[in-house]
Amino acid sequence: MPSFKSNLDIQQNQLLNAVLHKLRDLPQNPVAGQLYYNEGKGLAYLYDGQYWIPWGSSSGGGGGGSEVKQFITNILNPSTRSGAIIIRLYEDLLAVRVDAHFSTVNTVYFNIDIRGNVNQTGTNITDRPMTATNNGNEYTTIDHPWLKKDDWLYLSVASGSGDTSIPEEGGTTGTTGGTGTEPPAGDGEVLGILTVVVTCTTIV
C-alpha cells in the first residue's frame, strides 16, 4: 500500500470515491484537522487539536456545524451516598468526552446516568464506572452517547480508593476513605473535591 511522507497537492481537483479511515477506537497521536470514521458509532470525527468532534450527526451526515457544550459539577467529600444533577438538557446532544479530577491523592469511581425522570435511575453513559484521580482522567469512549432533550444527566459516586475491586455498572462497594496520604473526611467519605466535566456537541 502506498505511503506518503509529505503533503499531497491535487491542485484543487476532486478526490473521487474517497473513504475515511475506519476504526473502532481513536487514532493514535492525532493532529489538528485529522478525520476518521468510528465504525461502532457510525460517525465521522474531526480532531480540532484538543478534542475529537463529531463531523455530522450520522453515517449519512454532511458537513460540520456542531457546537460544543460543556457541563461541570463538583462534589465535596464524596461518598457512595453522594449524587448531583449535572443538567437537564434543553436540546438533543451527543456526549463525546468526560473529564474527571479529584483534588487529593485519593481515587473515586463514579457513574453518569441519563434519566427521563430525575428521581429514577437511568442508563449509564459508559458501561463501566469512570475514575477520578489527582492526575486527571479523560474518557472519549462513550457507550451511550445520545442525549435527548429534557433528559437529566445525574452524577453518582460508585466507590472510593481502598475497595478491593471495581464495582459492576450501577453497583456500589462502599468506600474506605481512600488509600492515599490524605485521611478520610468522615464515615464513608473521601476527603477532597470531585470535579467532572461532560463535553457534548449539538446534533446537526
Side-chain angles (χ1 to χ4, degrees):
M1 181 171 58
S3 178
F4 298 93
K5 300 296 185 181
S6 61
N7 294 329
L8 179 64
D9 185 0
I10 61 173
Q11 301 179 23
Q12 297 184 326
N13 291 302
Q14 298 181 66
L15 184 61
L16 302 178
N17 301 318
V19 178
L20 294 178
H21 191 186
K22 296 179 180 179
L23 295 170
R24 284 279 175 180
D25 207 348
L26 300 175
Q28 298 298 312
N29 304 314
V31 296
Q34 185 171 339
L35 292 167
Y36 91 103
Y37 179 80
N38 188 300
E39 294 180 298
K41 298 178 181 177
L43 284 171
Y45 284 82
L46 169 69
Y47 190 66
D48 68 356
Q50 288 186 294
Y51 305 111
W52 284 103
I53 305 298
W55 199 44
S57 60
S58 67
S59 58
S66 297
E67 296 181 23
V68 176
K69 310 282 186 178
Q70 289 189 310
F71 311 106
I72 185 169
T73 298
N74 295 300
I75 296 181
L76 176 65
N77 299 335
S79 73
T80 54
R81 299 182 300 275
S82 299
I85 296 169
I86 299 175
I87 192 172
R88 187 181 187 190
L89 300 170
Y90 56 88
E91 61 183 328
D92 293 343
L93 295 173
L94 189 72
V96 296
R97 179 182 171 120
V98 175
D99 291 273
H101 175 260
F102 199 63
S103 63
T104 68
V105 295
N106 295 305
T107 298
V108 173
Y109 297 97
F110 65 94
N111 290 306
I112 297 174
D113 66 293
I114 310 162
R115 300 185 174 190
N117 183 316
V118 69
N119 295 313
Q120 296 180 359
T121 302
T123 301
N124 292 340
I125 66 173
T126 56
D127 288 339
R128 298 282 288 174
M130 292 172 277
T131 305
T133 65
N134 188 246
N135 290 328
N137 303 77
E138 63 180 56
Y139 297 87
T140 53
T141 299
I142 308 299
D143 300 294
H144 307 281
W146 301 101
L147 311 176
K148 297 185 299 182
K149 181 179 181 292
D150 293 328
D151 279 346
W152 301 79
L153 290 185
Y154 190 88
L155 169 66
S156 59
V157 174
S159 71
S161 59
D163 295 311
T164 58
S165 63
I166 299 175
E168 295 297 330
E169 178 185 357
T172 57
T173 64
T175 174
T176 63
T179 56
T181 59
E182 297 290 341
D187 182 21
E189 295 180 332
V190 184
L191 182 64
I193 301 173
L194 170 64
T195 301
V196 176
V197 181
V198 182
T199 301
C200 304
T201 64
T202 55
I203 300 172
V204 296

